[in-house]
Amino acid sequence: MYVLKRELLWLPFLGWGLALMSPIAINRSHGKRAMRRVVEMGGVRLAQGFSIMMYPEGTRIPVGRRGKYKLGGAVLAVQNRVPVVPVAHNAGLVWPRNSFLKYPGKVSVVIGAPIPTDGLSAEEVMRRVEDWIEDQVARLVPPGSRASRMQLELPFLGEPPARTGTRVRHVRLGGSVVPYRFRRARRRTIGIAIDEHGLHAAAPRRATLAEVEAFIREKERWVLRKLAEARATPRPAIAWRDGVRIPYLGGELEVCAAPPGAAAGLDGARLALAVADHGCPQALRDAALGWLRGMALAHFHGRAASLAPRLGVAPARVSLSNARTQWGSCSADGRVRLSWRLIHLRPALVDYVIVHELAHLRYMNHSARFWRVVATACPGYRAARHELRGFSHALPEL
């Protein structure tokens, strides 16, 4: 039993044949009324022993693009406590959308395992359906297929390595198909970041893949620029050994393993660290990173306490993050997070980032009013902002 738009029934011959199948015909412009009709009529058909076939995107979508998945089918399944069987195919390769021409080829159809709906919301059911379908479509449309000539005639950027809990997906940005690592997390908003491995995206469980990729496309210019910077400027590597030099507040420190019984600590530009295994590079690295993070937190707390009154704000909490390309963040509840790696930069740049995040406690945007607040505590913010752009991929890989 099909759910289809009522206009199809008006077509000569085809429409007449469809009408004989007693479909659930809806007026898609009616929105919620159309969904109610699907749920009501679908419940009756299910009780009669029929299976209901629906197209969650509502219409044909060009290969390589993703439409918005509608909730009607998931609502119907949840309310009637029946499973959903997802289906994916690549028919768009041989009969593209809005094309009169058809091309020779093989249409592959994949039928998934039933997705149970007991105890799940309609949104969660649809998220699982969407994840499965989009994953299968990605497998059914290889880069060398006709689809790549029709709409994916794009260079593929290097694919990032997969990690536990993540999945590599692809999104079209400008003239490239960009791979990204995607994971779901306990968070309120969609977030993206770029490091030496490429683009990462994290989203709350309620967010659909269409929403995630729409968010990435909104940041297209930033993403492509940061990826280009990452490819053009590989991070210098640190060889951990006694006497290694690391950046600290715009200068350099010589890091040494303190001999047993000797005093450890900072003496001018020399940092002596107590290391259990004197000849172990990993032990020296761990000790140095622990010291840097401790100094970063102390320095950031002190500077935030000094700068916040000048902006007329009081952060609820200042903490460290491990971000590589996002220097800081500020949440609506007053929490400010700063990348510990800021401790490598000169103090004026650290102050700019802290002022920037504190100013978000006044305005959660980048409006002219926001920048006027920043300027009250950091008059040279424009130069600092420009200087920061080159640092995210110039810092060493500790």
Side-chain angles (χ1 to χ4, degrees):
M1 184 69 62
Y2 286 88
V3 177
L4 47 78
K5 58 183 180 181
R6 64 174 186 175
E7 290 84 355
L8 290 176
L9 303 181
W10 302 344
L11 297 174
F13 304 110
L14 174 62
W16 303 338
L18 290 173
L20 293 175
M21 299 170 63
S22 300
I24 301 174
I26 60 172
N27 185 340
R28 292 187 303 180
S29 64
H30 285 175
K32 291 184 178 179
R33 283 170 53 192
M35 181 182 290
R36 284 198 298 269
R37 176 173 172 79
V38 169
V39 173
E40 292 169 3
M41 296 298 297
V44 173
R45 296 291 197 272
L46 288 170
Q48 294 171 345
F50 290 97
S51 295
I52 308 297
M53 180 172 287
M54 297 184 63
Y55 297 90
E57 292 172 296
T59 188
R60 297 177 67 199
I61 301 296
V63 178
R65 294 188 188 177
R66 179 179 288 124
K68 181 176 177 60
Y69 282 61
K70 313 255 184 336
L71 280 177
V75 172
L76 173 62
V78 169
Q79 291 194 7
N80 289 274
R81 297 183 179 180
V82 295
V84 175
V85 178
V87 178
H89 64 81
N90 61 355
L93 295 177
V94 297
W95 190 5
R97 182 174 185 258
N98 296 330
S99 172
F100 179 76
L101 297 177
K102 301 179 183 66
Y103 300 89
K106 176 183 177 182
V107 175
S108 298
V109 179
V110 183
I111 301 174
I115 297 173
T117 59
D118 290 341
L120 299 179
S121 66
E123 289 79 6
E124 176 63 17
V125 171
M126 186 51 67
R127 184 187 67 78
R128 295 187 183 189
V129 169
E130 181 180 1
D131 285 356
W132 185 89
I133 290 177
E134 295 300 333
D135 184 61
Q136 295 301 316
V137 169
R139 298 167 187 261
L140 292 172
V141 185
S145 65
R146 176 171 294 277
S148 66
R149 297 195 296 274
M150 291 188 297
Q151 56 193 8
L152 298 178
E153 206 167 83
L154 311 165
F156 278 72
L157 302 187
E159 187 160 300
R163 290 181 179 174
T164 303
T166 67
R167 178 177 295 178
V168 176
R169 296 186 176 278
H170 298 82
V171 61
R172 176 177 174 172
L173 297 180
S176 302
V177 171
V178 178
Y180 68 97
R181 282 206 304 263
F182 175 68
R183 66 184 177 89
R184 295 196 178 273
R186 286 188 174 182
R187 53 183 298 145
R188 296 181 179 178
T189 59
I190 298 169
I192 58 176
I194 294 171
D195 62 15
E196 68 275 18
H197 298 301
L199 175 62
H200 309 254
R205 299 192 182 281
R206 68 177 184 277
T208 66
L209 287 172
E211 291 169 335
V212 172
E213 297 197 351
F215 181 84
I216 295 174
R217 291 188 184 96
E218 287 178 5
K219 312 294 182 183
E220 177 179 304
R221 292 177 61 186
W222 179 85
V223 169
L224 294 177
R225 175 167 57 83
K226 288 296 183 181
L227 288 173
E229 289 175 0
R231 293 193 301 273
T233 314
R235 294 178 186 273
I238 292 287
W240 287 98
R241 61 181 183 275
D242 207 40
V244 66
R245 305 186 73 83
I246 60 174
Y248 177 70
L249 289 177
E252 280 192 332
L253 294 180
E254 180 185 2
V255 181
C256 303
L266 184 62
D267 181 14
R270 184 176 185 274
L271 175 63
L273 296 171
V275 178
D277 187 346
H278 193 276
C280 177
Q282 185 63 42
L284 182 63
R285 175 183 181 274
D286 291 345
L289 293 187
W291 185 87
L292 283 173
R293 289 189 175 99
M295 294 301 293
L297 187 60
H299 183 79
F300 300 164
H301 272 156
R303 295 308 298 152
S306 174
L307 294 166
R310 297 168 62 180
L311 301 173
V313 298
R317 182 184 178 191
V318 175
S319 60
L320 299 181
S321 80
N322 196 40
R324 295 177 181 272
T325 58
Q326 185 180 38
W327 296 117
S329 63
C330 176
S331 60
D333 59 6
R335 290 179 297 173
V336 172
R337 301 191 71 203
L338 300 165
S339 171
W340 68 266
R341 291 176 173 83
L342 279 169
I343 201 66
H344 295 314
L345 309 183
R346 62 188 184 89
L349 294 182
V350 177
D351 278 4
Y352 161 68
V353 175
I354 294 174
V355 168
H356 184 113
E357 300 308 330
L358 291 175
H360 279 309
L361 296 176
R362 295 277 300 276
Y363 300 104
M364 292 296 285
N365 53 46
H366 290 102
S367 62
R369 291 184 298 179
F370 167 82
W371 290 112
R372 283 196 292 270
V373 171
V374 171
T376 60
C378 186
Y381 74 85
R382 288 186 177 86
R385 185 183 179 195
H386 179 76
E387 187 176 347
L388 267 180
R389 289 175 179 170
F391 271 110
S392 61
H393 296 287
L395 294 177
E397 182 63 43
L398 300 184

